[in-house]
Amino acid sequence: MKKVVGSVLLIASISPLSAQDVHHHDHGNTPIAVMGGHTHDAGGVMLSYRYMSMHMDGNRDGTSRVSDSEVLADYMVTPTSMDMDMHMFGAMYGVNEKLTVMAMLPYVTKSMKHLTRMGRQFTTRAEGIGDTKISGLYKITDQAGHKLHLNLGISLPTGSIDERDDTPAAQNAKLPYPMQLGSGTYDLMPGITYQGEGGDYSWGTQAVATIRTGENDNDYTLGDKIELSAWLQRQWTHAFSTSLRLKAQRWSDIDGADPDLNPNMIATADPELRAGKRADLLVGFTYQPQSGALKGNRFALEVGKPVYQNLDGPQLETDLILTAGWQYSF
Ligand SMILES: [Cu+2]
């Protein structure tokens, strides 16, 4: 209790924000696309909905673009663009002062456009529930202006790995790896998150790994992944803040192979052409009314573009990432 009063006084003394706002800082003063970026006080509940959209356009090998005709010199078919949309429903609950639990269920829509060597264009689509994520966020320290917690997450294989659609080569064909909705494996997601604040600014950094365990029913394991993120947020008024975030990630190739896929036909069916590294720069906007009928609600948007991309290609490159969300805490 003494600690809490101390931090409230410190933040109130160096910030133009009133002590009342400090409470709200605890509820998600992180860019909306950061998962498990904050913890809750004992008994605190938060419900959230996030819409996440990613647009990929054109192929890349290493850090350079490759044209459709260059890819078609080696393959019968090439993807030309892809859109992925995700509706994510989440809930958080502060079990006690140390532990917050979190669950997230995504609904995923994917669509990929292709061009064949014969000049024919076609689109494949997949849609359904993705992999459910359950996490425990365990507070290590919570001092004046500095917070640190562990992210202990697990991803459950609720997303399909048997998505099919019609292609010019076959009706109801098994779709390649990036069009599947889940990993098909139980994945461990350990991580650590730091949050700091002082004056009108808050900042933070998060490292999260995705470690796949075992092999899925289609004889493969998606590559492990590591994501590092750092952000700086500025409070402009009691309700409005903006953020800047740099996110770097690295992921590996697929181990094993789905026997239904032919890697000579299209690069997306090759388990050895999935790895990559990417850094994204993202700007965020948050509106969090401190009083009135909307109190407890947080509306946020984060949008960004890759600033560096190195793909084990040919692979579709990412061009735009957008997350819009609503959070309600009580
Ligand atoms: Cu929360």
Side-chain angles (χ1 to χ4, degrees), residues 185-200:
T185 50
Y186 287 88
D187 306 330
L188 302 176
M189 300 182 74
I192 188 161
T193 307
Y194 163 78
Q195 291 170 276
E197 60 182 24
D200 293 338

Side-chain angles (χ1 to χ4, degrees), residues 2-54:
K2 211 171 162 190
K3 229 183 196 175
V4 175
V5 172
S7 65
V8 166
L9 287 177
L10 180 79
I11 291 161
S13 65
I14 57 174
S15 156
L17 302 175
S18 69
Q20 183 210 337
D21 301 325
V22 172
H23 173 76
H24 288 277
H25 269 189
D26 291 342
H27 299 274
N29 202 19
T30 44
I32 188 75
V34 175
M35 303 294 154
H38 64 270
T39 54
H40 284 267
D41 293 335
V45 176
M46 189 183 91
L47 300 175
S48 67
Y49 164 74
R50 287 181 180 93
Y51 166 73
M52 195 176 271
S53 178
M54 197 162 103

Side-chain angles (χ1 to χ4, degrees), residues 64-80:
S64 327
R65 286 291 300 252
V66 281
S67 68
D68 292 340
S69 51
E70 283 173 287
V71 182
L72 290 172
D74 296 327
Y75 296 93
M76 286 297 290
V77 187
T78 182
T80 53

Side-chain angles (χ1 to χ4, degrees), residues 17 21 25 29 200-202 233-243 283-290 297-301:
L17 302 175
D21 301 325
H25 269 189
N29 202 19
D200 293 338
Y201 291 92
S202 61
Q233 190 149 13
R234 183 177 163 150
Q235 201 76 31
W236 298 94
T237 71
H238 288 305
F240 184 69
S241 67
T242 53
S243 64
V283 289
F285 306 89
T286 297
Y287 177 64
Q288 191 168 8
Q290 303 297 319
N297 290 272
R298 179 176 182 251
F299 305 92
L301 175 77

Side-chain angles (χ1 to χ4, degrees), residues 7 12 30 44 65 86 92 105 112 145 180 214 228 268 281 305:
S7 65
T30 44
R65 286 291 300 252
M86 224 168 9
M92 289 178 93
L105 179 71
M112 194 184 267
Q180 297 301 329
L228 295 165
T268 48
L281 189 64
K305 285 178 82 70

Side-chain angles (χ1 to χ4, degrees), residues 3 6-7 10-11 140-148 195 197:
K3 229 183 196 175
S7 65
L10 180 79
I11 291 161
I140 303 171
T141 52
D142 186 355
Q143 295 170 0
H146 300 285
K147 289 182 193 178
L148 191 66
Q195 291 170 276
E197 60 182 24

Side-chain angles (χ1 to χ4, degrees), residues 94-237:
V95 177
N96 55 44
E97 289 308 322
K98 284 279 184 196
L99 183 70
T100 296
V101 288
M102 188 174 97
M104 219 157 45
L105 179 71
Y107 187 85
V108 188
T109 309
K110 291 180 172 187
S111 113
M112 194 184 267
K113 289 185 176 159
H114 303 78
L115 181 66
T116 70
R117 204 179 270 175
M118 307 314 245
R120 183 165 171 191
Q121 290 178 305
F122 69 98
T123 303
T124 54
R125 291 183 181 85
E127 180 175 343
I129 288 168
D131 288 343
T132 305
K133 286 168 180 84
I134 294 171
S135 304
L137 311 178
Y138 188 77
K139 251 186 231 178
I140 303 171
T141 52
D142 186 355
Q143 295 170 0
H146 300 285
K147 289 182 193 178
L148 191 66
H149 69 258
L150 290 178
N151 298 64
L152 305 163
I154 183 162
S155 171
L156 311 176
T158 49
S160 159
I161 54 166
D162 294 302
E163 290 302 303
R164 293 171 173 272
D165 201 357
D166 296 342
T167 70
Q171 285 203 334
N172 204 31
K174 174 74 73 71
L175 293 176
Y177 305 106
M179 285 298 288
Q180 297 301 329
L181 305 176
S183 69
T185 50
Y186 287 88
D187 306 330
L188 302 176
M189 300 182 74
I192 188 161
T193 307
Y194 163 78
Q195 291 170 276
E197 60 182 24
D200 293 338
Y201 291 92
S202 61
W203 54 88
T205 178
Q206 184 183 64
V208 182
T210 304
I211 300 161
R212 322 282 181 184
T213 66
E215 193 176 71
N216 65 28
D217 291 343
N218 292 345
D219 303 336
Y220 67 92
T221 309
L222 289 184
D224 291 343
K225 184 161 76 171
I226 177 101
E227 296 166 275
L228 295 165
S229 196
W231 60 90
L232 178 68
Q233 190 149 13
R234 183 177 163 150
Q235 201 76 31
W236 298 94
T237 71

